[in-house]
Amino acid sequence: MSERGQFRRVAETGRRPVRLRVDGEAVEALDGDTVLVALLTAGRRLRDNEFERRPRAGFCLMGACQDCWIWRPDGGRVRACSTPVADGMDLLTRSPLEQWSIRAS
Amino acid sequence: MVDPRIVIVGAGPAGTRAAETVVRHGLRPVVLDEAPQSGGQIYRRQPPGFSRDAKVLYGFEAGRAGRLHAAFDALAGKVEHHPGTLVWTVRDGAVHTAPADGGAVGRFPYDALVLATGACDRVIPFPGWTTAGVYTLGAAQVALKYQACAIGGRVVFLGTGPLLYLVAYQYAKAGAEVAAVLDTTGFAAKAMALPKLLAVLPALAKGLYYLGWLRSRGIAIHEGVVPVRVDGADAVEGVVFRSASGEERRIACDAVGFGYGLQSETQLADLAGCRFAYEPQSRQWLPEADADGRSDVAGVYLAGDGRRVRGADFAEMAGELAALAALGDRGIAVDQARMAALRRGLDRGLRWGQALQAVFPVPHHFLADLPSETVLCRCEGVTVGDARRAADDLDAREINRAKALSRIGMGRCQGRYCGLSAATILADTAGEKPETAMRIRGQAPVKPVPLRTEEAAS
Ligand SMILES: Cc1cc2nc3c(=O)[nH]c(=O)nc-3n(C[C@H](O)[C@H](O)[C@H](O)COP(=O)(O)OP(=O)(O)OC[C@H]3O[C@@H](n4cnc5c(N)ncnc54)[C@H](O)[C@@H]3O)c2cc1C
Ligand code: FES
């Protein structure tokens, strides 16, 4: 995640840093960020759409479009725009089940 | 007599005033909201630990926001408030809930249910609108208000409605780069021509203020545009539009915020069994209710933008009035004069809502000119062409039939963002009036609930 992020912080930058892992890489966010903001201040993609096969980066930010669900390693799902970050959170932008099936084939 | 159980869904302006009214009459309502804090959309609160003051967050509305928050906070201990709680269906006289974080499901039986579920952005698809970095106008505002972020480093705002100039102004004021405002209506020209309306519509006066402010900072404003496409394969690189004079122009940017006003969030009213009626200006089917907010289903009351988009001030009135009606219907003495005053206020609200829609019309006609490969349903990748084929070849002129045949509206968002556009496309293709396509029927759960809870509930 070296590229510049989609989102830009314009204020409230003095908050406590929070560390999470996204697809195995370290990402630093701020306490009070949503998961969506953590990912999109670090990069420009949140997940891929299964039908268009293109990246998505959320759409409504208010829990209506459901275009921001990502995964936990156990296969559980997280709605990124309404879930706050927490230290040590581990997240995947591709379904772990899908990754298994790709590896198996 | 046992106290009636009153359940309120939504803790925005309408839900807050409803709860306050119930408490004032000596009862303890249940208040359920998916959001972690009360306030609803316009008065959404920032997370704990953020420090911007109310004037920065709410601008002209800072006073109102403060009063509404104080009103809700004063109810602490007097209401049973469950924040972070999604209501996923209404069935057999109870609302069914799931916590946002995936804990155990709940069930709240009610004698009276007040639905104050608010609204979300109205969108019309155009080529490239599913590119990463394209957001609704509301989303652009949520990013700023709730997370102190801009949706991009160089943002174009596109569409119509009170939010267009407001959000552009809020961005520029916060120091974000606004590349341009692309107005599909020609708002300034229209508003200037309507001095009478200006007097009754402070929203227009504010709009003109924001517009003037943006102009004075040299921000490009184009009126009467038609969106052509968003450029960029993996992320937004620019927006192409047709100007009022007909030429195609491109603006480089890395994010787009767009929208055409708001649409009511009506799924729970649908599941509760309320009758719906067609509203021609917005082309939305809306749950019916009498002047006080009584639906045709006994015990179910509707208030705020979820019933009809009239804005926050009228949402507050509607919340109070619906609660008074619910209390009065259960034999509790209520102030009839107050109810009459609120009814008059809401009547004004209805006219104001209609005037707003006339000044910021939804450009339904854009749909007829969309290339058929344009994605219509962002969840499942159904295209405009698929919808036209459903109406033409498959004779599916009614949207639920088209849904079964083409998967329109079958995705995770339940057709919130494609349903209204799809109905117009079906009707246009069939050469019928837009209401003939009907509306996508609500289905439980109204939003996905984490699998664990869904299993436990079934
Ligand atoms: C993103 C956005 C930004 C806006 N910004 C402005 C603005 O800057 N200025 C302005 O004048 N107007 C704005 N509006 C319009 C304004 O928000 C509304 O007019 C006003 O908030 C209506 O109040 P309400 O109580 O009817 O609904 P809302 O304030 O929308 O409150 C509805 C509440 O219900 C909850 N809810 C809905 N469904 C469920 C469910 N199934 N389960 C649990 N909870 C649920 C929601 O979480 C929400 O908190 C905005 C609207 C949106 C959508
Ligand atoms: S971005 Fe729409 S639900 Fe999260």
Side-chain angles (χ1 to χ4, degrees):
Chain A
M1 299 229 175
S2 53
E3 71 198 286
R4 191 110 203 239
Q6 175 68 41
F7 281 17
R8 301 295 153 82
R9 297 187 189 278
V10 297
E12 305 282 358
T13 50
R15 287 171 283 143
R16 182 180 69 83
V18 169
R19 285 176 190 81
L20 35 158
R21 295 186 80 73
V22 178
D23 297 330
E25 281 187 54
V27 166
E28 194 174 285
L30 299 176
D31 192 27
D33 280 356
T34 62
V35 164
L36 180 138
V37 161
L39 267 71
L40 294 180
T41 46
R44 294 190 74 180
R45 172 188 160 278
L46 200 61
R47 66 195 301 278
D48 298 316
N49 174 266
E50 300 86 335
F51 298 87
E52 274 200 282
R53 303 228 162 254
R54 288 210 300 163
R56 290 279 171 94
F59 182 60
C60 74
L61 268 65
M62 49 172 281
C65 75
Q66 318 304 331
D67 207 350
C68 68
W69 287 84
I70 60 171
W71 293 265
R72 292 180 181 278
D74 68 1
R77 306 204 315 151
V78 173
R79 193 169 70 189
C81 73
S82 56
T83 306
V85 294
D87 265 315
M89 221 175 198
D90 206 352
L91 299 163
L92 299 173
T93 68
R94 294 188 173 81
S95 162
L97 304 170
E98 210 172 286
Q99 281 165 1
W100 289 336
S101 62
I102 289 165
R103 243 175 267 151
S105 63
Chain B
M1 189 179 85
V2 186
D3 281 348
R5 297 162 301 181
I6 301 190
V7 172
I8 299 165
V9 182
T16 296
R17 293 303 177 194
E20 182 186 54
T21 304
V22 172
V23 167
R24 203 166 46 207
H25 288 81
L27 301 182
R28 186 183 161 87
V30 171
V31 180
L32 304 164
D33 197 305
E34 194 186 357
Q37 301 175 83
S38 77
Q41 289 303 343
I42 172 169
Y43 307 134
R44 182 189 278 263
R45 304 192 204 202
Q46 54 188 357
F50 283 56
S51 59
R52 289 166 298 170
D53 69 40
K55 193 74 202 147
V56 171
L57 287 177
Y58 309 113
F60 289 137
E61 269 66 59
R64 287 192 175 84
R67 284 193 291 280
L68 194 86
H69 294 162
F72 196 90
D73 294 345
L75 300 176
K78 299 181 192 142
V79 298
E80 188 183 331
H81 180 208
H82 297 273
T85 302
L86 170 74
V87 175
W88 60 271
T89 195
V90 181
R91 204 173 56 207
D92 308 328
V95 301
H96 296 257
T97 61
D101 60 11
V105 292
R107 186 175 167 274
F108 296 87
Y110 59 82
D111 297 301
L113 171 65
V114 180
L115 294 175
T117 48
C120 66
D121 291 82
R122 175 72 177 264
V123 302
I124 289 183
F126 66 108
W129 74 292
T130 58
T131 310
V134 179
Y135 296 94
T136 63
L137 282 172
Q141 197 191 48
V142 171
L144 186 62
K145 227 187 249 185
Y146 187 60
Q147 294 281 282
C149 282
I151 55 170
R154 196 178 138 78
V155 185
V156 167
F157 293 107
L158 163 76
T160 188
L163 274 182
L164 178 68
Y165 289 103
L166 169 63
V167 179
Y169 164 83
Q170 289 171 328
Y171 264 57
K173 202 134 201 241
E177 188 186 347
V178 177
V181 179
L182 306 179
D183 177 342
T184 56
T185 306
F187 162 67
K190 254 186 136 159
M192 296 295 193
L194 298 169
K196 267 212 210 97
L197 265 184
L198 257 179
V200 291
L201 290 181
L204 293 191
K206 280 181 223 160
L208 285 176
Y209 170 81
Y210 302 136
L211 181 109
W213 190 95
L214 291 161
R215 281 226 170 101
S216 73
R217 264 84 185 161
I219 291 167
I221 293 171
H222 300 273
E223 295 191 69
V225 310
V226 178
V228 174
R229 66 171 183 274
V230 172
D231 283 341
D234 290 342
V236 173
E237 289 167 9
V239 182
V240 179
F241 66 97
R242 204 159 50 246
S243 72
S245 59
E247 60 190 305
E248 258 188 38
R249 302 185 51 177
R250 181 179 191 276
I251 297 180
C253 61
D254 62 8
V256 177
F258 86 109
Y260 301 97
L262 298 174
Q263 63 186 42
S264 300
E265 174 77 13
T266 60
Q267 285 82 358
L268 289 178
D270 202 356
L271 292 172
C274 300
R275 192 168 56 221
F276 278 57
Y278 183 72
E279 197 288 302
Q281 267 181 318
S282 64
R283 299 195 181 175
Q284 189 177 11
W285 287 82
L286 294 171
E288 281 189 300
D290 69 7
D292 298 349
R294 279 180 204 89
S295 76
D296 68 316
V297 177
V300 177
Y301 301 78
L302 309 169
D305 276 6
R307 174 183 171 202
R308 192 179 265 270
V309 174
R310 280 185 283 215
D313 294 355
F314 295 107
E316 289 189 38
M317 291 184 201
E320 182 181 349
L321 183 56
L324 288 171
L327 293 162
D329 291 349
R330 274 149 203 89
I332 292 159
V334 292
D335 181 345
Q336 296 296 337
R338 176 73 186 156
M339 287 183 80
L342 289 165
R343 271 178 219 129
R344 281 193 301 276
L346 281 172
D347 208 42
R348 243 185 4 258
L350 188 60
R351 289 200 301 277
W352 135 293
Q354 286 165 344
L356 268 191
Q357 288 199 52
V359 178
F360 304 110
V362 180
H364 304 290
H365 59 282
F366 287 177
L367 288 161
D369 297 327
L370 287 177
S372 31
E373 64 278 11
T374 312
V375 172
L376 169 61
C377 154
R378 59 181 296 116
C379 304
E380 309 248 322
V382 181
T383 64
V384 168
D386 293 334
R388 288 180 184 146
R389 261 190 306 283
D392 239 357
D393 304 352
L394 308 171
D395 208 27
R397 294 165 180 210
E398 193 272 327
I399 196 160
N400 294 290
R401 199 168 129 70
K403 176 178 170 184
L405 296 171
S406 73
R407 306 188 60 80
I408 304 167
M410 235 187 223
R412 279 190 284 255
C413 88
Q414 288 234 4
R416 281 182 181 80
Y417 290 104
C418 70
L420 295 176
S421 297
T424 286
I425 292 173
L426 292 173
D428 279 354
T429 309
E432 304 271 3
K433 291 204 180 101
E435 60 267 36
T436 55
M438 305 300 288
R439 66 197 166 86
I440 295 180
R441 279 188 293 268
Q443 254 177 1
V446 297
K447 292 180 182 183
V449 294
L451 207 56
R452 265 184 297 163
T453 39
E454 219 171 356
E455 278 169 350
S458 61

